[in-house]
Amino acid sequence: LPDGTVLAPSSGGYDVTYVSNNYGTLYVKSDGTYYFVLDQNSAEVNALSEGEKATLTFNITVFDSNGKATNFTGANGLTVTVLGGNDAPDVISVNGHDITGTTNGAANGIILMGTEDKHVHTATGSLAVHDVDTLDMNVGHDIMVKSVSTGEAKVELAADTADNTMTIKGQFGTLTITRNDGADTTTHADDTYDYKYVLNPDAAKVLGAGETGNDVFNVTLRDQYGATITKPLTFSTDGANDPTVINPK
């Protein structure tokens, strides 16, 4: 039905006219009462940040008993204010895949330690932030990275522009994350976080052939209103059969 259609009388005996937009639908009864139904799945509704308002104005036409129309438009029309709420942010890989735990593929975080355990092994990749609240994306997010095994943690605040690099020591190696400003340097909307994990061969020597060691780092994002999300970034190391060393007496 097109907007403005008069529906059949409801159980209350009144005709109902409705009009919809990107935020929801306004229903007006013939007795003058009305109600507005918000569309919770609307991209425009979800894009509103905490405390942000969207003002919707509906033009109203009233007919008297003789059919004469009176228009109420603009400031004299019906106004509905939609107040935004805070949605939690999310962290995803830069190619758009969700981080669900152990990342897949050497380029995305899996390290296989071969027999040449004297060599330095690394894994690199990028993380991106997603937040449906537009203002939160522009302001940026604080990020904390913590090693599950060692407990070492570092925090990078969105407002801090002096040093954008964090280095965290894990059980089998060291993770470095660097925030990169996007093309629009006036906001943080398209910032990304490059990470590099460097395996410590000496630490990985405890792993024998057929054993796998997981270095897990929890990545926590916090928006300007305190909503958080935490996801693990996991690096797996396969052990090798190290030669037995005999120390002469």
Side-chain angles (χ1 to χ4, degrees):
L1 295 176
D3 291 347
T5 298
V6 178
L7 304 180
S10 63
S11 58
Y14 298 106
D15 292 338
V16 179
T17 302
Y18 82 95
V19 59
S20 59
N21 57 27
N22 292 334
Y23 293 87
T25 303
L26 174 69
Y27 296 87
V28 182
K29 294 182 178 180
S30 57
D31 68 344
T33 59
Y34 65 89
Y35 59 96
F36 183 83
V37 178
L38 189 68
D39 183 359
Q40 299 284 0
N41 296 318
S42 164
E44 285 79 1
V45 172
N46 287 310
L48 295 174
S49 299
E50 180 80 14
E52 189 178 9
K53 297 178 181 179
T55 301
L56 315 177
T57 301
F58 299 88
N59 297 328
I60 303 295
T61 300
V62 178
F63 296 90
D64 64 16
S65 58
N66 296 317
K68 181 180 179 180
T70 302
N71 295 316
F72 298 89
T73 62
N76 295 320
L78 178 62
T79 300
V80 175
T81 300
V82 179
L83 184 64
N86 192 26
D87 297 289
D90 197 7
V91 57
I92 57 176
S93 65
V94 79
N95 57 7
H97 295 301
D98 186 36
I99 298 176
T100 57
T102 303
T103 52
N104 297 314
N108 289 329
I110 296 297
I111 296 179
L112 299 180
M113 181 180 174
T115 56
E116 297 178 322
D117 57 6
K118 295 295 184 181
H119 291 184
V120 176
H121 295 255
T122 63
T124 59
S126 294
L127 305 176
V129 177
H130 175 69
D131 196 323
V132 295
D133 295 335
T134 303
L135 290 181
D136 289 349
M137 283 296 294
N138 291 339
V139 171
H141 297 75
D142 301 331
I143 180 171
M144 181 180 75
V145 182
K146 182 177 181 179
S147 168
V148 173
S149 58
T150 67
E152 183 170 308
K154 296 291 178 64
V155 176
E156 166 68 22
L157 300 178
D160 185 8
T161 59
D163 185 7
N164 295 333
T165 300
M166 298 176 288
T167 301
I168 306 96
K169 183 179 179 181
Q171 183 176 4
F172 301 110
T174 301
L175 175 66
T176 299
I177 293 185
T178 302
R179 186 183 73 202
N180 299 305
D181 293 332
D184 183 1
T185 58
T186 62
T187 72
H188 293 283
D190 53 355
D191 288 357
T192 57
Y193 295 86
D194 290 341
Y195 65 81
K196 182 178 182 179
Y197 179 85
V198 179
L199 185 69
N200 179 356
D202 290 333
K205 282 183 178 180
V206 298
L207 298 173
E211 289 184 304
T212 299
N214 291 321
D215 230 349
V216 183
F217 299 84
N218 284 334
V219 179
T220 300
L221 288 176
R222 180 180 62 191
D223 69 17
Q224 61 179 328
Y225 297 106
T228 63
I229 188 171
T230 299
K231 288 190 174 181
L233 184 61
T234 303
F235 301 90
S236 296
T237 301
D238 284 352
N241 188 21
D242 299 305
T244 301
V245 177
I246 300 176
N247 295 316
K249 295 183 178 179

